[in-house]
Amino acid sequence: MKPTQQKQFDKTAFQNSVKKHLTSTYATTLQTATSRAWYLAMGRALAELTTFDLLETEHDEKIRHAKSVNYLSLEFLIGRLTGNNLISLGLYSQVNDAMNELGQHLTDLLEEERDPSLGNGGLGRLAACFMDSLAAQEFPCVGYGLHYEYGLFKQSFALGRQQEAPDAWRSVEGYPWEVARPNLAQEIGFYGQVEVYQENGEERRRWVPGMTVKAMPWDMPIVGYESDTVYPLRLWECRAIAPFSLASFNNGNYFEAQHALIDAGNITKVLYPNDNHEKGKTLRLMQQYFHSAASVRDILRRHEEIGHSLESLPDYETIQLNDTHPTIAIPELMRILIDEKGLSWDDAWRISSKTFAYTNHTLLPEALETWSEALLQHLLPRHMEIIYQINHLFLKEVREKWPGDVSKQRKLSIIQEGFHRMVRMANLSVVGSYAVNGVAALHSNLVKRDLFPEFHELYPTRLQNVTNGITPRRWLKFCNPDLSELITSKIGDQWPTDLDQLEAISQYADDPQFQQQFMAVKKANKQRLADWVESNMGIVLDTNAIFDVQIKRLHEYKRQHLNMLHILSLYHRLLNEPDFDMAPRVVFFAAKAAPGYHLAKEIIYALNKISERINGDPRINDKLKVVFIPDYRVSIAEIIIPAADVSEQISTAGKEASGTGNMKMALNGALTIGTMDGANVEIREEVGDDNIYIFGLDVDQVEALHANGYNPYDYYHADPLLKASLELLLGDEFTPGEPGKLRVTYDSLLDGGDPYLVLADFAAYVQAHEAMDRQYRDQAGWAKKAILNTALVGKFSSDRSIRDYVNNIWKLEAVKR
Ligand code: 26W
């Protein structure tokens, strides 16, 4: 608990601060201020408290001299901060009262905050949960990311098709929680050439950039739950160097080729919206280097400011690479140590290779980053030299291990040979890191078996597993206050920092009164979601129906189209089988598609069209509804997740590294229907086979089916329900008067070869849903399973994930202030 902070809260001073910000920061009056102005002023007043603690934490001698983790990520999908920070500060009810006295409703003000959507999906949200767990457990840390002017695009639908609009999350007023740190700004170079010169009879090299920009840090406060510790999430913004470099202007460099065309302000203008698909764009590589270079310099500044030697860097700082996006930090640190600090190659490599660790988040080949050697050479000429040298020394090791085996060298080389030579960032990450981890047990095993088998032979202790987790503060305590209260009434209030305690709830799983209370909470959460849907989309829902939820990025491997086929099968049976009965069901989707991912956008279109038709079809008697919620983001997830009865986790086995939405919904009492993929495997281990609906091919069966030559038509011809469901996509059932408008999805599943085996898993999926449908009609039995899901998923707290990193990889200690 945080008695000091609570005692220190001075209501009158706080209210005065809010009023002062209203007038002097936002130039309005108490009488005329809008809700938005009240929210902003309240945010600034609260941020004053956290900025104070941020600086106290930064200057704390114990923390300065302890080992820290630096979490480098191009994405931090933090979501709204105000409500969450109020809970962490332990000030929710006091601020609620203080604002009430000013005539404002806290819940309304919280709705005024725009989500900072500075991430695409799982990887970015994981980074945000990890920051929360680091601060909560008081592990010294800094998150390093980018201060995008525009986050992930806003999604809307026009005639069922996805439209993208820029996401100006800071609006014109700026974001109240961020604080500029101009004293910590850095200069970052690009382009130019490498100069060779002599010093003390030795040949040395230095990079002379052709273009220099400024990295301006903004700190977001990460407030430790019920502690005074506030660690920074430091986001770099790119600015032109003012006014501009006169020297380079004069010698003609300034307007050299494309350098001048790329305005410095472009570098952090917008988050790339690709998820699991790498595009090789120059500006993206510039973002990556800009982020890595600014962060590495800041880490070295902190290290050297307290007087530590460079040799001791790995004893005080560890750098976690969130996928390969920040991997250029490895050659950047090498370059600084050798060229700027004068260390030998061997000394620099010893330091660097004990400092970096790398997390792999995906096995999809199209997501593994490679950069063109020519592009790297042009943009970062000195880094390219260093990569060659790393590769040269590494290939020597490979030759010693496998003498004469050229194929091994070709496969493991950091440089991929060919007409266009490419730099493989994953290989560079493995070679340059002291630890590499996957994000769920199954995934980590596949990393060893399929992705990096030779690396695993070469470095048998390097590859590890850390199963992902989610923060129970945001994903239960904050988003589901009624369930949190019910839990606390039974087992006390310590579970948010020790989620394994939830297991004690399982003793009530058979208790009719508790079952009834648990389901009443679920019902209220379903009503909250139904109200949102009615007022924002005009669709009326029955909260007695099964709320069946699939919320995640739109991707073929996640198989939203398998879910679509299930909906089509239900629709077909409702219309054609007089005896068919089903519990009423609402199927929810929320998903953004990468703007250039054509098939994903067609699937969204098809789902919207299907929804329109089914929801308005009187023949099916409201038995089935389909709701595609637009603009999926953290704040809407906070409404959907507590309301889910069924959690759809139906990726092709072997494709979803972990998933984290699966954990969030199970924690909030949803039953999972899922494949043996990612963390589903471990969720099943925890909740038990009776409390989860596992179906379909496993990894080995998927592999065997592909090896034997998969033909989707075999399934199409053999299964009349599948055939009928698919054929609904061909006519004009959902696009009246315009037949064939949904055939892109149909074609991908048949002539397109169905690469993710949707047809092969269809029958098993339908069966699993039938079993759930039967179970739902026995509400007591359902309640028991739902309760056991909440009770038995304590393992998936990100506090546990962070402790795994701390104990097995980072080796650092908590520091209490
Ligand atoms: C360069 C293009 C690109 C962009 C993003 C490639 C890859 C990514 C991410 C690694 C994709 C991603 O978010 N992966 C997800 O990471 C989560 C956190 O570990 C996992 O839970 C998800 O299973 C995984 O898909």
Side-chain angles (χ1 to χ4, degrees), residues 122-123 126 274-278 284 323 325 361-362 367 369 439 468 557 656-660:
L123 162 134
L126 186 76
N274 296 326
D275 185 82
N276 273 305
H277 199 96
E278 184 266 316
R284 166 79 176 175
D323 216 278
H325 317 153
H361 295 267
T362 179
E369 288 190 300
V439 291
N468 281 168
Y557 86 79
E656 189 70 272
S658 161
T660 45

Side-chain angles (χ1 to χ4, degrees), residues 135-240:
Q137 297 175 102
E138 306 194 63
F139 292 114
C141 60
V142 182
Y144 285 105
L146 287 180
H147 189 272
Y148 300 106
E149 189 175 336
Y150 299 98
L152 187 61
F153 65 85
K154 282 200 301 183
Q155 179 197 54
S156 60
F157 299 129
L159 302 175
R161 295 198 175 273
Q162 171 173 297
Q163 310 288 309
E164 299 105 23
D167 164 54
W169 63 281
R170 301 173 71 243
S171 308
V172 275
E173 307 98 341
Y175 186 61
W177 287 99
E178 65 187 5
V179 358
R181 306 295 305 270
N183 299 339
L184 306 180
Q186 303 279 356
E187 288 196 4
I188 309 297
F190 293 99
Y191 303 106
Q193 47 274 310
V194 178
E195 285 182 3
V196 183
Y197 65 103
Q198 301 285 323
E199 197 175 83
N200 305 326
E202 244 183 87
E203 183 181 284
R204 301 180 48 91
R205 308 172 85 76
R206 71 176 155 229
W207 174 32
V208 184
M211 163 185 166
T212 307
V213 299
K214 186 161 163 180
M216 163 76 156
W218 294 87
D219 283 357
M220 300 271 192
I222 306 296
V223 181
Y225 179 70
E226 296 187 339
S227 90
D228 292 323
T229 320
V230 175
Y231 282 105
L233 170 56
R234 189 155 288 165
L235 302 177
W236 300 102
E237 181 192 5
C238 187
R239 300 233 178 126

Side-chain angles (χ1 to χ4, degrees), residues 71 75 120-127 130 272-280 284 288 322-325 359-364 366-371 438-440 443 466 468-469 552-553 557-558 651 655-663 677-679 805:
Y71 201 83
E75 306 187 11
N120 273 289
L123 162 134
R125 183 55 232 175
L126 186 76
F130 280 4
Y272 273 88
N274 296 326
D275 185 82
N276 273 305
H277 199 96
E278 184 266 316
K279 286 269 167 64
R284 166 79 176 175
Q288 295 188 351
N322 201 21
D323 216 278
T324 58
H325 317 153
T359 306
N360 172 281
H361 295 267
T362 179
L363 300 169
L364 297 191
E366 66 270 29
L368 297 180
E369 288 190 300
T370 58
W371 288 108
V439 291
H443 168 67
V466 179
N468 281 168
K552 49 186 79 245
R553 283 299 286 257
Y557 86 79
K558 295 177 187 283
S651 50
K655 300 296 180 191
E656 189 70 272
S658 161
T660 45
N662 47 2
M663 302 168 185
D677 200 14
Y805 278 100

